[in-house]
Amino acid sequence: MAGRLDEEREQAILRATYELIGETGYQGLRVDAVAARAQASKATLYRHWPTKAGLVVDAVRCCKAEAPPPPDTGSLRGDLTAWFAEIGGFITGDEGPILAGLFMAMHTDSALATELRSMQESKVPFAEAICERAERRGELRPGYDARLIDEIVPPLLFMHCFAFGRPLDDAYVAHVVDDIILPLLTRD
């Protein structure tokens, strides 16, 4: 059985992996390139990460910035606007293209898809927290479906940015909040 990597060594390998995903995409990621960048042997990488998907998912877990909980602005509209603006900033930042590439790779790599979906399932449900606050303030009635936010907003923002090449500016975020999400959450 292979010995456990020390934390500094493991972090170096995972950071190298994450950087290379950003440069080459998932499909172009090669273990020998990770080994060279991390100054590790390929044998070490294969011993600790027998699959490319496992290595990449650990790199994402290690290196992807954790989103802070959305702020409580005092109103449902304010909370949604602030949160969606944060998501937009993430999408248009350095990590957005990395995750977009990983989402595309999920289509052809079932092991990667399984691993990334399990990460998604373990995320803190920000949408539920925002809607529960709004319900306590009297802005939402029971019966809303907070899951609609996660189903609609991230893909909508990705499409607007990557497919259409349009900015995720304040006006677009306001449109998503006012014309799409609030009507869905408050419908009878």
Side-chain angles (χ1 to χ4, degrees):
M1 179 70 182
R4 177 110 176 100
L5 287 173
D6 68 64
E7 187 174 338
E8 186 177 317
R9 194 80 202 106
E10 181 179 39
Q11 295 287 312
I13 292 167
L14 295 175
R15 273 193 308 278
T17 302
Y18 198 73
E19 290 168 4
L20 285 164
I21 295 166
E23 294 168 19
T24 67
Y26 179 77
Q27 308 299 13
L29 183 69
R30 295 184 355 260
V31 171
D32 58 330
V34 173
R37 177 150 318 172
Q39 298 178 340
S41 71
K42 288 195 306 185
T44 297
L45 270 70
Y46 283 120
R47 193 168 38 250
H48 293 278
W49 294 278
T51 67
K52 179 174 157 178
L55 174 63
V56 167
V57 168
D58 281 354
V60 170
R61 279 191 184 109
C62 170
C63 299
K64 181 182 171 292
E66 279 299 313
D72 184 348
T73 66
S75 73
L76 176 58
R77 184 183 188 284
D79 290 355
L80 293 173
T81 299
W83 183 35
F84 298 171
E86 286 178 13
I87 294 170
F90 176 78
I91 288 170
T92 59
D94 293 340
E95 292 185 337
I98 292 171
L99 293 182
L102 290 175
F103 293 147
M104 291 303 298
M106 289 171 68
H107 183 67
T108 57
D109 188 322
S110 61
L112 177 68
T114 298
E115 293 279 353
L116 288 176
R117 286 182 185 124
S118 73
M119 283 180 66
Q120 177 64 27
E121 291 165 4
S122 68
K123 284 179 55 178
V124 175
F126 290 151
E128 290 176 23
I130 288 172
C131 289
E132 287 170 4
R133 286 193 310 240
E135 185 178 0
R136 285 193 302 274
R137 291 190 297 251
E139 296 176 277
L140 284 179
R141 292 191 309 259
Y144 59 83
D145 188 354
R147 295 172 303 172
L148 290 172
I149 296 171
D150 289 324
E151 286 180 29
I152 295 169
V153 175
L156 187 63
L157 297 179
F158 263 103
M159 285 296 294
H160 191 77
C161 179
F162 291 117
F164 304 142
R166 295 187 184 131
L168 298 177
D169 56 15
D170 292 344
Y172 186 71
V173 169
H175 159 66
V176 171
V177 171
D178 295 333
D179 300 331
I180 300 170
I181 299 303
L182 284 177
L184 283 173
L185 292 175
T186 58
R187 67 185 170 161
D188 290 327

